[in-house]
Amino acid sequence: MDITIRRMQPGDADALYRLLSDPEVMRYLEPPFDRAQTEAFLRRAGLAEPPLVYAAEESGRFIGYVIYHAYDEQSVEIGWVLLPEYWGHGYASALTNQLIDRARQEQKSVVIECAPAQAATRRIARKKGFRACGICDGLAVYLLP
């Protein structure tokens, strides 16, 4: 697995639209995005300074994006949204390891938020040693101090 995390680029709009318009991908997030919503998300989150999300690639192919941004003074929030063909093959786990490593280099704690029904995310959080902290704004919160 040759996974790279990189800054989003304007040219990511097509691949991002494929991802964010997929009802299965968006099941626990929001209703599927149309093209205008995707382009607004790319500008607001991916091309922001600092970015809130980053592109994830395997061997140069866009596979989704990762979330990495300040959660509070001591913590960063991490997450991932992947194309369905990359589900269940260890990509989310590998990306989580990279994001935890980055947070550790910055001497930050790590937070994952997800819909309570999002079993795959909960499973990864537990596997990586995160502790459940309860529900905030309808989302399950997990902390890795």
Side-chain angles (χ1 to χ4, degrees), residues 21 40 43 95 105:
S21 65
R43 283 190 307 276
L95 286 164
Q105 290 171 9

Side-chain angles (χ1 to χ4, degrees), residues 16-60:
L16 191 60
Y17 176 63
R18 179 174 166 236
L19 178 71
L20 297 178
S21 65
D22 185 316
E24 188 63 21
V25 169
M26 299 300 280
R27 180 176 175 191
Y28 297 110
L29 303 173
E30 298 180 52
F33 283 19
D34 63 23
R35 184 63 186 221
Q37 289 171 304
T38 300
E39 290 176 5
F41 175 80
L42 177 59
R43 283 190 307 276
R44 185 180 70 252
L47 302 177
E49 198 54 56
L52 303 175
V53 300
Y54 296 80
E57 293 182 332
E58 183 191 37
S59 303

Side-chain angles (χ1 to χ4, degrees), residues 108-119:
K108 299 284 186 177
S109 297
V110 186
V111 172
I112 293 175
E113 289 187 327
C114 67
Q118 206 167 358

Side-chain angles (χ1 to χ4, degrees), residues 33-106:
F33 283 19
D34 63 23
R35 184 63 186 221
Q37 289 171 304
T38 300
E39 290 176 5
F41 175 80
L42 177 59
R43 283 190 307 276
R44 185 180 70 252
L47 302 177
E49 198 54 56
L52 303 175
V53 300
Y54 296 80
E57 293 182 332
E58 183 191 37
S59 303
R61 286 184 317 275
F62 182 92
I63 65 169
Y65 69 84
V66 296
I67 299 160
Y68 188 92
H69 59 80
Y71 185 79
D72 58 27
E73 285 289 319
Q74 300 82 28
S75 308
V76 294
E77 179 181 359
I78 69 166
W80 53 93
V81 179
L82 302 175
L83 290 164
E85 57 264 36
Y86 296 96
W87 296 357
H89 300 287
Y91 289 92
S93 183
L95 286 164
T96 300
N97 290 341
Q98 287 187 37
L99 296 170
I100 290 170
D101 288 348
R102 179 175 171 181
R104 293 297 185 230
Q105 290 171 9
E106 297 173 9

Side-chain angles (χ1 to χ4, degrees), residues 90 92-94 97 100 120-130:
S93 183
N97 290 341
I100 290 170
T121 301
R122 288 192 337 260
R123 198 169 32 255
I124 288 173
R126 284 193 303 269
K127 178 179 163 190
K128 303 295 181 185
F130 284 74

